[in-house]
Amino acid sequence: MKHFLFVFVIFSALISCNNDDDQDKCGSTFETAYVDNINAPDTGIVGETIPIEVTFFVMNGCGVFNEFEVTSDGNSRNIIVNAEYECRACTQSIDRISATYNFSASTPGEYELKFKSGLDEFIIINITIL
């Protein structure tokens, strides 16, 4: 019985050791997430924030929204969704999630918002700012 207890204690000590060095090297990664759907109004008012619901896909259960990357050219905006993939055990499901893009314009006019939906594809919406 003492022999069994000794082996059990040694075995428990060996399997309870945790090598934290592997987790220290693990960091989040960031990738473009392609937009699937946009829910936006047709019009807005100068200076007011217009919430636009953006739905996109992440490639596994660790994918979360990180930020919108926006480049402007006059009244045109190119918008890329940036997703963060956390370093942890993940499900392998392709998830569809949403985030709100807050658009605001300081001058009236027609605005074109182009959301990246594929390698060379965009979902384009037009908003008239009064």
Side-chain angles (χ1 to χ4, degrees):
M1 181 69 173
K2 288 181 184 180
H3 187 321
F4 175 76
L5 184 59
F6 176 75
V7 171
F8 179 76
V9 170
I10 296 295
F11 182 73
S12 295
L14 290 174
I15 64 169
S16 67
C17 290
N18 185 6
N19 184 354
D20 289 337
D21 293 342
D22 291 341
Q23 291 193 9
D24 291 341
K25 296 176 186 174
C26 188
S28 294
T29 58
F30 301 90
E31 295 182 24
T32 297
Y34 295 128
V35 173
D36 173 54
N37 190 44
I38 303 293
N39 185 8
D42 294 329
T43 61
I45 297 174
V46 169
E48 285 190 3
T49 299
I50 301 167
I52 299 171
E53 184 181 354
V54 180
T55 305
F56 55 94
F57 290 103
V58 290
M59 301 289 54
N60 62 41
C62 288
V64 295
F65 171 74
N66 182 50
E67 68 179 347
F68 291 105
E69 296 176 13
V70 181
T71 56
S72 299
D73 183 16
N75 285 3
S76 180
R77 308 285 186 276
N78 286 339
I79 303 157
I80 297 173
V81 175
N82 184 288
E84 177 180 3
Y85 292 89
E86 300 168 341
C87 182
R88 59 183 170 89
C90 306
T91 63
Q92 294 303 307
S93 63
I94 295 177
D95 293 332
R96 189 174 187 237
I97 60 177
S98 295
T100 301
Y101 173 68
N102 291 313
F103 175 71
S104 181
S106 58
T107 57
E110 294 289 324
Y111 287 83
E112 179 182 70
L113 307 180
K114 297 167 55 174
F115 293 86
K116 191 164 182 81
S117 62
L119 286 175
D120 295 319
E121 300 170 6
F122 294 87
I123 295 175
I124 300 171
I125 63 166
N126 294 297
I127 298 178
T128 302
I129 300 298
L130 307 170

